[in-house]
Amino acid sequence: MSSPLRLGVAGLGTVGGALLKLLDRQAAALAARTGREIAVVAVSAQNRGKVRDLDPARFDWASDPVALAASPDIDVFVELIGGADGVARAAVETALQEGKSVVTANKALLAKHGLHLARLAEAKGVALGFEASVAGGIPIVKTLRDSLAGNRVSRVYGILNGTCNYILSRMEAEQLSFGQCLAEAQKLGYAEADPSFDIGGYDTAHKLAILTALAFGTEIAADAIAVEGIEHITLADISAAAELGYRIKLLGVAERTAAGIEQRVHPTMVPRSSAIAQVMGVTNAVTIDADAVQELTLVGPGAGGAATASAVVADIADVARGLKAPPFGLPLKSLAPLHRAPLQTHEGGYYIRLSVYDRSGAAAAIAARMAERAISLESIVQRRRPGELKGASAVPVVLITHATSEKLIGEALKAVLADGFIAEPPQVIRIERE
Ligand code: HSE
């Protein structure tokens, strides 16, 4: 057997703690599978007291993660600190510059500095593994990079944030408000330290940026993602979606279009019968449309200590075996700049919920504004709330359109607003085709 692979692990929170336990539990199997013992030689964490149940005396303790990253006693630096900049970035850069392979779960770091870090790794001939950065335990990075190497991907999309999927699932199942469900998600420990990263769609966007690069062989371009969160989704939308045969999911979608690569994160109506609509709670799912495999969906735990540690271990095992794929599947010089398709050119169906004054001509005017732009309606539903008197207030009107463009929908709604029949800004949710 070769010499042990020596790890330095920085960050002993949920994932770091689970990683140490998993490496202990699977020590013999991993040594047999990789031909090397995998040994954690040193750890670093903000709060030493936190690792009591892991017998910290077993490991060298580094108070400074950057010093740990530079230590001659380690071969691989495992970064589980988090954050796009600061100490996580400094430590990862140091490790790569020192010629050590890096394994990280840090999606924000990858989304912002992935190219720069891949450049450092390539220059030093070391590995940069980030399987755990997207969709927790789902092996989506290796699937796109390695297993689908013979495919041309046309679209990759998925539920990439467990907190949002939990909130939307609970709102539908229990008819609870958005705020109540967010509080539950925080109590259960699903949400990021700052939950606005989850509900605002930014966590999904970080993950999508990584998937886009892997799927399309492009440079990471997180700033070219149109991002909308789920904060404005109401029970009225959840119920209307159910009645019309849809379910609302926060999706990250990257798609090759005639106008370029579309990258978008937003609440999305998906057909209730689709595979992705069945994914409830904190579970994640990613679907890939590609020419050879056609459609592939991976479903599994998108967060949680053990599941994320499983992905970290997969990258560590690759290093132990001496495998070193280019981080984004291609040598850096072969990655194409991402040509961004503007959201205005997006084509698809739309759900539009309007609060309409109950006056004669209102529905006709709305339909006319759509027809003027050749927007075809799949359905139009007006519901008076029980007990309401005619003309007493605005009533909800829900439209579902056939495929049209974002630009035309924007123009039509501007005209509808100008007509003066609308009591509140419209709620617009894009529909994703299967
Ligand atoms: N807050 C994230 C989620 C954790 O809810 O999915 C995993 O990135």
Side-chain angles (χ1 to χ4, degrees):
M1 198 173 272
S2 315
S3 57
L5 183 75
R6 301 165 306 163
L7 309 183
V9 178
L12 293 177
T14 311
V15 179
L19 174 68
L20 298 189
K21 287 179 188 152
L22 188 58
L23 287 171
D24 265 355
R25 198 165 79 231
Q26 296 288 28
L30 280 165
R33 286 169 188 159
T34 65
R36 294 177 81 172
E37 183 199 337
I38 293 171
V40 177
V41 296
V43 296
S44 174
Q46 250 180 349
N47 180 357
R48 197 169 181 168
K50 262 191 178 173
V51 294
R52 266 194 298 264
D53 64 326
L54 296 165
D55 184 11
R58 283 171 52 195
F59 313 109
D60 281 345
W61 182 265
S63 51
D64 176 8
V66 182
L68 173 61
S71 165
D73 298 333
I74 67 164
D75 306 307
V76 179
F77 179 65
V78 182
E79 186 273 308
L80 304 172
I81 302 165
D85 289 290
V87 72
R89 178 183 174 190
V92 166
E93 284 178 348
T94 300
L96 294 170
Q97 278 154 354
E98 293 291 322
K100 297 175 200 309
S101 289
V102 167
V103 173
T104 177
N106 191 335
K107 59 238 162 175
L109 175 73
L110 262 294
K112 190 165 174 196
H113 303 296
L115 280 183
H116 162 65
L117 299 176
R119 201 164 288 125
L120 289 179
E122 197 174 274
K124 292 289 179 178
V126 293
L128 172 62
F130 48 87
E131 181 62 74
S133 65
V134 184
I138 301 178
I140 185 62
V141 171
K142 281 180 204 289
T143 299
L144 279 168
R145 192 188 59 204
D146 305 333
S147 314
L148 298 181
N151 285 257
R152 184 173 198 270
V153 175
S154 53
R155 181 174 59 157
V156 56
Y157 65 100
I159 295 169
L160 302 173
N161 184 272
T163 301
C164 287
N165 206 48
Y166 175 84
I167 291 172
L168 294 170
S169 302
R170 289 281 292 170
M171 284 175 78
E172 182 186 340
E174 307 297 332
Q175 293 292 296
L176 295 172
S177 71
F178 172 81
Q180 283 172 298
C181 298
L182 171 60
E184 277 185 14
Q186 285 180 287
K187 214 160 116 194
L188 291 164
Y190 302 145
E192 298 291 311
D194 175 357
S196 65
F197 265 74
D198 297 291
I199 58 175
Y202 304 106
D203 177 75
T204 300
H206 290 150
K207 296 166 181 168
L208 183 69
I210 297 168
L211 293 185
T212 305
L214 290 161
F216 302 113
T218 52
E219 294 175 353
I220 283 202
D223 51 1
I225 303 180
V227 184
E228 285 169 31
I230 62 166
E231 309 93 323
H232 60 289
I233 299 296
T234 64
L235 278 173
D237 299 312
I238 302 256
S239 304
E243 277 180 45
L244 293 161
Y246 293 94
R247 192 164 258 158
I248 301 174
K249 297 290 182 189
L250 183 79
L251 293 190
V253 185
E255 183 165 15
R256 212 189 276 278
T257 73
I261 306 275
E262 228 177 73
Q263 290 187 106
R264 47 194 166 84
V265 172
H266 50 74
T268 311
M269 294 274 180
V270 293
R272 254 181 127 67
S273 57
S274 62
I276 208 125
Q278 316 313 316
V279 178
M280 303 301 273
V282 283
T283 304
N284 281 197
V286 187
T287 296
I288 301 149
D289 294 335
D291 58 351
V293 286
Q294 302 283 301
E295 185 187 291
L296 180 68
T297 298
L298 280 74
V299 180
T308 309
S310 155
V312 174
V313 171
D315 282 337
I316 294 170
D318 275 358
V319 179
R321 289 175 168 135
L323 301 174
K324 194 180 51 195
F328 294 102
L330 288 171
L332 276 172
K333 64 175 173 12
S334 305
L335 290 177
L338 184 134
H339 178 64
R340 172 188 195 165
L343 193 57
Q344 288 294 296
T345 63
H346 169 69
E347 297 209 343
Y350 288 80
Y351 158 100
I352 302 162
R353 180 169 56 78
L354 300 168
S355 188
V356 179
Y357 293 121
D358 196 2
R359 294 188 208 131
S360 71
I366 294 164
R369 295 308 186 188
M370 298 287 160
E372 282 162 16
R373 290 160 185 86
I375 298 170
S376 166
L377 297 178
E378 181 186 294
S379 67
I380 175 162
V381 180
Q382 173 176 329
R383 285 254 157 66
R384 172 163 301 285
R385 284 180 276 263
E388 267 176 357
L389 298 173
K390 180 170 179 290
S393 62
V395 291
V397 172
V398 173
L399 315 174
I400 298 278
T401 76
H402 287 295
T404 180
S405 77
E406 183 94 6
K407 182 167 175 284
L408 290 176
I409 286 290
E411 286 175 9
L413 289 177
K414 210 168 150 195
V416 167
L417 277 168
D419 285 338
F421 290 112
I422 305 300
E424 290 166 23
Q427 171 77 297
V428 180
I429 303 179
R430 295 176 193 87
I431 299 173
E432 192 68 21
R433 68 183 156 78
E434 278 185 85

PDB file of all heavy atoms in Angstrom, residues 107 132-133 135-136 160-164 190-192 198 203 207 282 284 302-304 308, ligand 1:
ATOM      1  N   LYS A 107     -19.654  26.677  -2.255  1.00  0.00           N
ATOM      2  CA  LYS A 107     -20.255  27.110  -3.534  1.00  0.00           C
ATOM      3  C   LYS A 107     -20.048  28.593  -3.811  1.00  0.00           C
ATOM      4  O   LYS A 107     -19.844  28.998  -4.957  1.00  0.00           O
ATOM      5  CB  LYS A 107     -21.751  26.777  -3.538  1.00  0.00           C
ATOM      6  CG  LYS A 107     -22.553  27.432  -2.418  1.00  0.00           C
ATOM      7  CD  LYS A 107     -23.275  26.436  -1.559  1.00  0.00           C
ATOM      8  CE  LYS A 107     -23.679  27.066  -0.231  1.00  0.00           C
ATOM      9  NZ  LYS A 107     -24.470  26.212   0.610  1.00  0.00           N
ATOM     10  N   ALA A 132     -19.059  18.541  -3.347  1.00  0.00           N
ATOM     11  CA  ALA A 132     -19.997  18.868  -2.263  1.00  0.00           C
ATOM     12  C   ALA A 132     -20.585  20.270  -2.384  1.00  0.00           C
ATOM     13  O   ALA A 132     -21.487  20.627  -1.619  1.00  0.00           O
ATOM     14  CB  ALA A 132     -19.280  18.736  -0.915  1.00  0.00           C
ATOM     15  N   SER A 133     -20.100  21.051  -3.346  1.00  0.00           N
ATOM     16  CA  SER A 133     -20.559  22.438  -3.401  1.00  0.00           C
ATOM     17  C   SER A 133     -21.952  22.565  -4.023  1.00  0.00           C
ATOM     18  O   SER A 133     -22.621  23.579  -3.848  1.00  0.00           O
ATOM     19  CB  SER A 133     -19.557  23.300  -4.182  1.00  0.00           C
ATOM     20  OG  SER A 133     -19.509  22.897  -5.531  1.00  0.00           O
ATOM     21  N   ALA A 135     -25.719  20.711  -4.496  1.00  0.00           N
ATOM     22  CA  ALA A 135     -26.713  19.668  -4.212  1.00  0.00           C
ATOM     23  C   ALA A 135     -26.211  18.586  -3.249  1.00  0.00           C
ATOM     24  O   ALA A 135     -26.575  17.412  -3.374  1.00  0.00           O
ATOM     25  CB  ALA A 135     -27.219  19.035  -5.514  1.00  0.00           C
ATOM     26  N   GLY A 136     -25.414  18.997  -2.286  1.00  0.00           N
ATOM     27  CA  GLY A 136     -25.010  18.119  -1.173  1.00  0.00           C
ATOM     28  C   GLY A 136     -24.543  16.748  -1.606  1.00  0.00           C
ATOM     29  O   GLY A 136     -23.513  16.584  -2.250  1.00  0.00           O
ATOM     30  N   LEU A 160     -32.165  23.275  -6.153  1.00  0.00           N
ATOM     31  CA  LEU A 160     -30.807  23.263  -5.621  1.00  0.00           C
ATOM     32  C   LEU A 160     -30.738  23.838  -4.217  1.00  0.00           C
ATOM     33  O   LEU A 160     -29.658  23.962  -3.659  1.00  0.00           O
ATOM     34  CB  LEU A 160     -29.872  24.060  -6.557  1.00  0.00           C
ATOM     35  CG  LEU A 160     -29.805  23.554  -8.003  1.00  0.00           C
ATOM     36  CD1 LEU A 160     -28.999  24.516  -8.873  1.00  0.00           C
ATOM     37  CD2 LEU A 160     -29.194  22.159  -8.053  1.00  0.00           C
ATOM     38  N   ASN A 161     -31.879  24.213  -3.672  1.00  0.00           N
ATOM     39  CA  ASN A 161     -31.880  24.763  -2.320  1.00  0.00           C
ATOM     40  C   ASN A 161     -32.975  24.095  -1.497  1.00  0.00           C
ATOM     41  O   ASN A 161     -34.166  24.260  -1.764  1.00  0.00           O
ATOM     42  CB  ASN A 161     -32.091  26.286  -2.362  1.00  0.00           C
ATOM     43  CG  ASN A 161     -32.007  26.887  -0.973  1.00  0.00           C
ATOM     44  OD1 ASN A 161     -32.998  26.965  -0.264  1.00  0.00           O
ATOM     45  ND2 ASN A 161     -30.813  27.271  -0.555  1.00  0.00           N
ATOM     46  N   GLY A 162     -32.529  23.334  -0.491  1.00  0.00           N
ATOM     47  CA  GLY A 162     -33.456  22.560   0.330  1.00  0.00           C
ATOM     48  C   GLY A 162     -34.377  23.444   1.140  1.00  0.00           C
ATOM     49  O   GLY A 162     -35.552  23.111   1.349  1.00  0.00           O
ATOM     50  N   THR A 163     -33.859  24.573   1.603  1.00  0.00           N
ATOM     51  CA  THR A 163     -34.678  25.461   2.433  1.00  0.00           C
ATOM     52  C   THR A 163     -35.891  25.955   1.657  1.00  0.00           C
ATOM     53  O   THR A 163     -37.025  25.911   2.151  1.00  0.00           O
ATOM     54  CB  THR A 163     -33.818  26.663   2.904  1.00  0.00           C
ATOM     55  OG1 THR A 163     -32.714  26.147   3.640  1.00  0.00           O
ATOM     56  CG2 THR A 163     -34.610  27.627   3.757  1.00  0.00           C
ATOM     57  N   CYS A 164     -35.657  26.410   0.435  1.00  0.00           N
ATOM     58  CA  CYS A 164     -36.782  26.917  -0.371  1.00  0.00           C
ATOM     59  C   CYS A 164     -37.767  25.805  -0.690  1.00  0.00           C
ATOM     60  O   CYS A 164     -38.983  26.016  -0.657  1.00  0.00           O
ATOM     61  CB  CYS A 164     -36.268  27.534  -1.675  1.00  0.00           C
ATOM     62  SG  CYS A 164     -35.460  29.102  -1.394  1.00  0.00           S
ATOM     63  N   TYR A 190     -31.934  24.075   8.368  1.00  0.00           N
ATOM     64  CA  TYR A 190     -31.722  23.916   6.918  1.00  0.00           C
ATOM     65  C   TYR A 190     -31.145  25.181   6.287  1.00  0.00           C
ATOM     66  O   TYR A 190     -30.382  25.118   5.342  1.00  0.00           O
ATOM     67  CB  TYR A 190     -33.045  23.603   6.197  1.00  0.00           C
ATOM     68  CG  TYR A 190     -33.753  22.366   6.675  1.00  0.00           C
ATOM     69  CD1 TYR A 190     -35.137  22.294   6.711  1.00  0.00           C
ATOM     70  CD2 TYR A 190     -33.028  21.241   7.081  1.00  0.00           C
ATOM     71  CE1 TYR A 190     -35.798  21.160   7.142  1.00  0.00           C
ATOM     72  CE2 TYR A 190     -33.683  20.100   7.524  1.00  0.00           C
ATOM     73  CZ  TYR A 190     -35.062  20.078   7.552  1.00  0.00           C
ATOM     74  OH  TYR A 190     -35.709  18.959   7.978  1.00  0.00           O
ATOM     75  N   ALA A 191     -31.579  26.333   6.834  1.00  0.00           N
ATOM     76  CA  ALA A 191     -31.240  27.601   6.180  1.00  0.00           C
ATOM     77  C   ALA A 191     -29.780  27.986   6.423  1.00  0.00           C
ATOM     78  O   ALA A 191     -29.162  27.561   7.399  1.00  0.00           O
ATOM     79  CB  ALA A 191     -32.166  28.691   6.694  1.00  0.00           C
ATOM     80  N   GLU A 192     -29.238  28.789   5.514  1.00  0.00           N
ATOM     81  CA  GLU A 192     -27.909  29.354   5.699  1.00  0.00           C
ATOM     82  C   GLU A 192     -27.952  30.297   6.904  1.00  0.00           C
ATOM     83  O   GLU A 192     -29.029  30.713   7.346  1.00  0.00           O
ATOM     84  CB  GLU A 192     -27.495  30.165   4.462  1.00  0.00           C
ATOM     85  CG  GLU A 192     -27.397  29.355   3.183  1.00  0.00           C
ATOM     86  CD  GLU A 192     -26.247  28.359   3.180  1.00  0.00           C
ATOM     87  OE1 GLU A 192     -25.128  28.730   3.500  1.00  0.00           O
ATOM     88  OE2 GLU A 192     -26.492  27.184   2.849  1.00  0.00           O
ATOM     89  N   ASP A 198     -30.758  31.897   0.982  1.00  0.00           N
ATOM     90  CA  ASP A 198     -31.615  30.805   0.512  1.00  0.00           C
ATOM     91  C   ASP A 198     -32.830  31.376  -0.209  1.00  0.00           C
ATOM     92  O   ASP A 198     -33.030  31.118  -1.399  1.00  0.00           O
ATOM     93  CB  ASP A 198     -32.097  29.960   1.702  1.00  0.00           C
ATOM     94  CG  ASP A 198     -30.969  29.268   2.439  1.00  0.00           C
ATOM     95  OD1 ASP A 198     -30.377  28.357   1.853  1.00  0.00           O
ATOM     96  OD2 ASP A 198     -30.688  29.640   3.588  1.00  0.00           O
ATOM     97  N   ASP A 203     -28.163  31.355  -3.063  1.00  0.00           N
ATOM     98  CA  ASP A 203     -27.518  30.052  -2.854  1.00  0.00           C
ATOM     99  C   ASP A 203     -27.725  29.179  -4.106  1.00  0.00           C
ATOM    100  O   ASP A 203     -26.793  28.544  -4.602  1.00  0.00           O
ATOM    101  CB  ASP A 203     -28.128  29.391  -1.605  1.00  0.00           C
ATOM    102  CG  ASP A 203     -27.575  28.006  -1.348  1.00  0.00           C
ATOM    103  OD1 ASP A 203     -26.437  27.899  -0.879  1.00  0.00           O
ATOM    104  OD2 ASP A 203     -28.285  27.024  -1.641  1.00  0.00           O
ATOM    105  N   LYS A 207     -24.814  27.728  -7.007  1.00  0.00           N
ATOM    106  CA  LYS A 207     -24.744  26.326  -7.460  1.00  0.00           C
ATOM    107  C   LYS A 207     -24.973  26.244  -8.966  1.00  0.00           C
ATOM    108  O   LYS A 207     -24.294  25.488  -9.667  1.00  0.00           O
ATOM    109  CB  LYS A 207     -25.768  25.483  -6.686  1.00  0.00           C
ATOM    110  CG  LYS A 207     -25.449  25.418  -5.187  1.00  0.00           C
ATOM    111  CD  LYS A 207     -26.619  24.895  -4.374  1.00  0.00           C
ATOM    112  CE  LYS A 207     -26.290  24.868  -2.887  1.00  0.00           C
ATOM    113  NZ  LYS A 207     -27.466  24.632  -2.031  1.00  0.00           N
ATOM    114  N   VAL A 282     -36.765  19.023   1.955  1.00  0.00           N
ATOM    115  CA  VAL A 282     -35.401  19.548   1.734  1.00  0.00           C
ATOM    116  C   VAL A 282     -34.649  18.839   0.613  1.00  0.00           C
ATOM    117  O   VAL A 282     -33.520  19.185   0.299  1.00  0.00           O
ATOM    118  CB  VAL A 282     -34.530  19.476   3.008  1.00  0.00           C
ATOM    119  CG1 VAL A 282     -34.884  20.573   3.968  1.00  0.00           C
ATOM    120  CG2 VAL A 282     -34.592  18.117   3.655  1.00  0.00           C
ATOM    121  N   ASN A 284     -33.170  17.689  -2.869  1.00  0.00           N
ATOM    122  CA  ASN A 284     -32.772  18.387  -4.110  1.00  0.00           C
ATOM    123  C   ASN A 284     -32.953  17.455  -5.297  1.00  0.00           C
ATOM    124  O   ASN A 284     -33.053  16.227  -5.128  1.00  0.00           O
ATOM    125  CB  ASN A 284     -31.292  18.785  -4.061  1.00  0.00           C
ATOM    126  CG  ASN A 284     -31.011  20.033  -3.229  1.00  0.00           C
ATOM    127  OD1 ASN A 284     -29.954  20.645  -3.347  1.00  0.00           O
ATOM    128  ND2 ASN A 284     -31.934  20.434  -2.369  1.00  0.00           N
ATOM    129  N   GLY A 302     -29.834  17.361  -0.455  1.00  0.00           N
ATOM    130  CA  GLY A 302     -29.046  18.503  -0.914  1.00  0.00           C
ATOM    131  C   GLY A 302     -28.270  19.176   0.188  1.00  0.00           C
ATOM    132  O   GLY A 302     -27.503  20.100  -0.065  1.00  0.00           O
ATOM    133  N   ALA A 303     -28.465  18.749   1.397  1.00  0.00           N
ATOM    134  CA  ALA A 303     -27.763  19.369   2.524  1.00  0.00           C
ATOM    135  C   ALA A 303     -27.656  18.330   3.634  1.00  0.00           C
ATOM    136  O   ALA A 303     -28.081  17.191   3.473  1.00  0.00           O
ATOM    137  CB  ALA A 303     -28.524  20.604   2.990  1.00  0.00           C
ATOM    138  N   GLY A 304     -27.103  18.746   4.750  1.00  0.00           N
ATOM    139  CA  GLY A 304     -26.974  17.826   5.879  1.00  0.00           C
ATOM    140  C   GLY A 304     -25.545  17.317   5.969  1.00  0.00           C
ATOM    141  O   GLY A 304     -24.854  17.161   4.960  1.00  0.00           O
ATOM    142  N   THR A 308     -23.436  15.601   2.741  1.00  0.00           N
ATOM    143  CA  THR A 308     -22.435  16.493   2.142  1.00  0.00           C
ATOM    144  C   THR A 308     -21.031  15.916   2.347  1.00  0.00           C
ATOM    145  O   THR A 308     -20.175  15.980   1.447  1.00  0.00           O
ATOM    146  CB  THR A 308     -22.560  17.912   2.734  1.00  0.00           C
ATOM    147  OG1 THR A 308     -23.938  18.307   2.641  1.00  0.00           O
ATOM    148  CG2 THR A 308     -21.714  18.911   1.971  1.00  0.00           C
TER     149      THR A 308
HETATM  150  N1  HSE B   1     -28.962  26.215   2.805  1.00  0.00           N
HETATM  151  C1  HSE B   1     -28.667  25.250   1.805  1.00  0.00           C
HETATM  152  C2  HSE B   1     -29.992  24.616   1.420  1.00  0.00           C
HETATM  153  C3  HSE B   1     -27.704  24.226   2.326  1.00  0.00           C
HETATM  154  O1  HSE B   1     -31.027  24.915   2.006  1.00  0.00           O
HETATM  155  O2  HSE B   1     -30.025  23.815   0.483  1.00  0.00           O
HETATM  156  C4  HSE B   1     -26.958  23.492   1.260  1.00  0.00           C
HETATM  157  O3  HSE B   1     -26.251  24.313   0.416  1.00  0.00           O
END
